[in-house]
Amino acid sequence: MKRAEQLAKTRQAILKTATTLFLQKGFSGASTRDIAKQIGITQPALYHHFNDKEVLYLAVLTNLCGKVRQDINKVMRKQQIDPEERLYGITEVLKKHHPLNVYDQYQEAKRELSESAQRKLDMLFTMDYIEPIADFFKLPEVNLRPELLPREAAELFLADLAPIFDSFQPIGGHAISEEQRIKLILDCILRGLTVAEPASEK
């Protein structure tokens, strides 16, 4: 194998392994030493491809976030589905790509990254998560409350998703399926926790 091919193969292995570990352990929990060890290379060899941990993390997120946006856009392009099913589809995209709470990982990384890396992370998060989810809240059939902007609704939605990633919180009890549990949580996010009382007859 030519050197250029070997370097490209090693780079892809680093990105693949780093993606798995960063998503499982977060930015601070995954070390470049662990990533290199899993691939079978030295830490200096890893730094030949990526100057430091931040550069590697942002490369991982650039690739991952682009996939998330593509998948959310596929859900948004579906025809003749109601808002609940569309929101469920968006949530399934997030669960597919993130084993842990998306919003918590984003906040944790922001605390650890340098200012320039924080700006890049914010740009990725806005472009690939906030904006496509805000497009959902712009749909007329969603009927977003007037005091909220679609982007604000998208941010609140992502921040409220914690129970979907927390298996220790058996919302809905044990008699319902995982799909029913997620839909119940999403219904609570969309409509609140109480049942609206019927208007009294005049």
Side-chain angles (χ1 to χ4, degrees):
M1 185 182 296
K2 294 180 180 178
R3 176 169 170 76
E5 292 175 350
Q6 183 61 52
L7 288 172
K9 185 177 179 181
T10 301
R11 181 182 174 86
Q12 286 306 309
I14 293 169
L15 284 170
K16 183 178 179 181
T17 302
T19 299
T20 300
L21 290 181
F22 280 137
L23 289 178
Q24 288 177 347
K25 299 183 176 183
F27 176 78
S28 59
S31 69
T32 53
R33 184 178 290 105
D34 289 339
I35 293 166
K37 184 177 179 181
Q38 283 205 18
I39 301 165
I41 62 174
T42 64
Q43 205 173 8
L46 184 150
Y47 289 134
H48 174 77
H49 294 272
F50 300 95
N51 291 340
D52 57 37
K53 186 178 175 181
E54 282 192 352
V55 171
L56 176 56
Y57 184 71
L58 290 172
V60 162
L61 283 194
T62 299
N63 184 49
L64 173 72
C65 294
K67 291 177 180 177
V68 170
R69 184 181 181 113
Q70 286 177 358
D71 286 352
I72 292 176
N73 286 342
K74 285 179 186 176
V75 174
M76 290 299 294
R77 286 194 295 268
K78 288 184 177 180
Q79 301 294 317
Q80 297 179 336
I81 61 172
D82 60 36
E84 290 80 7
E85 285 300 316
R86 201 178 299 280
L87 192 62
Y88 177 75
I90 291 170
T91 305
E92 284 294 284
V93 168
L94 297 174
K95 283 196 68 187
K96 169 187 166 185
H97 292 286
H98 291 274
L100 301 177
N101 189 334
V102 179
Y103 196 76
D104 285 352
Q105 284 201 308
Y106 162 69
Q107 294 294 339
E108 182 263 337
K110 277 198 71 172
R111 290 192 294 270
E112 301 290 331
L113 295 172
S114 65
E115 286 187 16
S116 62
Q118 284 179 31
R119 287 193 292 271
K120 291 175 184 175
L121 177 63
D122 283 339
M123 182 183 70
L124 288 169
F125 193 70
T126 299
M127 182 173 63
D128 296 326
Y129 292 77
I130 299 297
E131 288 180 359
I133 294 173
D135 286 341
F136 165 79
F137 288 103
K138 290 175 186 176
L139 296 172
E141 60 267 30
V142 172
N143 197 25
L144 183 66
R145 51 198 301 169
E147 66 269 29
L148 275 179
L149 295 173
R151 177 169 171 163
E152 293 170 333
E155 291 171 349
L156 285 169
F157 168 71
L158 284 167
D160 286 343
L161 281 183
I164 286 171
F165 295 94
D166 293 338
S167 58
F168 63 85
Q169 201 169 16
I171 291 174
H174 299 286
I176 62 175
S177 68
E178 179 64 11
E179 179 179 341
Q180 289 171 324
R181 176 176 170 269
I182 292 172
K183 287 183 176 180
L184 173 61
I185 293 167
L186 293 177
D187 188 66
C188 289
I189 291 172
L190 275 178
R191 294 184 176 79
L193 298 173
T194 59
V195 178
E197 294 183 8
S200 57
E201 294 181 7
K202 293 184 178 180

